[in-house]
Amino acid sequence: MKRGLLVGVGALIALAGAVFTLQGVGAIGGSAMSGDTFWAVAGPIIALAGLALAAVGIRRRSAS
């Protein structure tokens, strides 16, 4: 159960990071984050953290 939760939460965090990146570079408009360099830099870092969390969940799942 916890393993699946790690994968799911990690995937959601990675998706949020991708959206933040797209907003930061101006590909998605309509928010205060649009065109802001901070989000263009922070987005990929957040996405990588989400992927790492999902990878931990997958590794735990395959180890069981």
Side-chain angles (χ1 to χ4, degrees), residues 11 15 20 22 28 35 47 53 58:
L15 179 63
F20 293 168
L22 291 172
I28 299 175
L53 186 62
I58 290 170

Side-chain angles (χ1 to χ4, degrees), residues 30-56:
S31 79
M33 295 166 52
S34 298
D36 191 349
T37 306
F38 173 79
W39 293 109
V41 174
I45 295 169
I46 293 168
L48 286 174
L51 290 175
L53 186 62
V56 167

